Amino acid sequence: ELKVEQNPLFLSMQEGKNYTIYCNYSTTSDRLYWYRQDPGKSLESLFVLLSNGAVKQEGRLMASLDTKARLSTLHITAAVHDLSATYFCAVEGTSGSRLTFGEGTQLTVNP
Amino acid sequence: GAVVSQHPSWVICKSGTSVKIECRSLDFQATTMFWYRQFPKQSLMLMATSNEGSKATYEQGVEKDKFLINHASLTLSTLTVTSAHPEDSSFYICNPVGGRGYTFGSGTRLTVV
């Protein structure tokens, strides 16, 4: 059974600081997804990582995937308040199968 | 990108009544539909998987007679919560899949009073 673990689960940081969220998963997969969820809202797609060594960046967020280590990271650079949200990683088992989600990281960026 | 429409966005119902949630893929055909449930401060939990024209497969612990899923077409799936109870209050999210990655519906906040 595929298990996905995120850490930290809660992250409070100051504006302007950098931090990394980690996502570990238990079985082989080449596809990993990062989502953002605002309170009361559904999931917003941030990144799709499709191969080992994939790196994608959008604004202050950068995601990477190491399939050998079964690890993905979401790096936040110079955080701003607007980044406050819950971030989920999700791993695809086989192509087209369900996603297995991590527990989510609740990020709060303080002025 | 893939566009998904989920309705209603929120619904309040009395205990014992039924509620239907609709999920439509507007610009693609969804061969598979995943339905998730999310309780406050928790992650998404898969409830069931359905393929067009087939019976849904339910995850362990999810009552198939309580959560009726119909996936009659490649663009529409419905989830009906029957005889709703307060413990069914949750955020329900659909996820149609059809070769364009994973796009989620906007979610339905169900409150049973």
Side-chain angles (χ1 to χ4, degrees):
Chain A
E1 179 189 351
L2 174 59
K3 293 188 185 300
V4 181
E5 293 184 349
Q6 281 180 243
N7 71 83
L9 300 184
F10 300 93
L11 176 56
S12 180
M13 55 190 298
Q14 285 186 311
E15 281 191 329
K17 298 293 187 182
N18 305 332
Y19 209 82
T20 300
I21 299 170
Y22 297 88
C23 175
N24 291 89
Y25 54 99
S26 61
T27 64
T28 302
S29 174
D30 288 334
R31 293 171 180 256
L32 190 138
Y33 303 76
W34 283 97
Y35 293 93
R36 168 181 171 144
Q37 186 178 39
D38 291 296
K41 304 291 186 181
S42 187
L43 302 181
E44 173 191 350
S45 179
L46 294 175
F47 301 109
V48 180
L49 303 169
L50 299 177
S51 62
N52 186 41
V55 177
K56 290 196 174 179
Q57 183 165 4
E58 180 73 34
R60 300 174 187 274
L61 301 178
M62 183 174 70
S64 66
L65 177 62
D66 181 344
T67 59
K68 294 180 181 178
R70 298 175 187 167
L71 170 68
S72 179
T73 60
L74 180 66
H75 187 73
I76 303 157
T77 301
V80 293
H81 179 70
D82 286 350
L83 290 179
S84 297
T86 299
Y87 293 84
F88 290 96
C89 64
V91 178
E92 180 179 352
T94 55
S95 178
S97 68
R98 49 81 60 91
L99 294 180
T100 299
F101 285 84
E103 306 97 320
T105 297
Q106 184 175 325
L107 171 66
T108 303
V109 181
N110 302 304
Chain B
V3 180
V4 179
S5 174
Q6 183 175 343
H7 293 281
S9 299
W10 60 270
V11 57
I12 301 173
C13 71
K14 292 184 178 180
S15 288
T17 62
S18 297
V19 173
K20 181 184 284 188
I21 301 169
E22 285 192 355
C23 181
R24 296 180 184 271
S25 53
L26 299 184
D27 60 351
F28 68 100
Q29 294 184 326
T31 52
T32 302
M33 179 72 73
F34 298 109
W35 285 95
Y36 291 87
R37 179 167 56 181
Q38 185 181 33
F39 292 106
K41 305 294 185 184
Q42 294 187 22
S43 187
L44 278 72
M45 297 300 296
L46 182 66
M47 298 177 63
T49 303
S50 70
N51 294 297
E52 185 261 342
S54 302
K55 287 185 178 180
T57 302
Y58 292 82
E59 296 298 300
Q60 191 171 8
V62 178
E63 300 175 54
K64 62 181 175 69
D65 293 331
K66 181 172 185 61
F67 298 98
L68 303 181
I69 291 172
N70 185 297
H71 193 170
S73 79
L74 291 172
T75 59
L76 172 64
S77 177
T78 60
L79 167 67
T80 301
V81 183
T82 63
S83 187
H85 289 282
E87 55 265 33
D88 299 324
S89 298
S90 188
F91 192 51
Y92 293 86
I93 307 174
C94 67
N95 173 210
V97 179
R100 289 204 195 180
Y102 295 84
T103 302
F104 291 82
S106 53
T108 298
R109 173 75 57 193
L110 170 63
T111 303
V112 184
V113 298

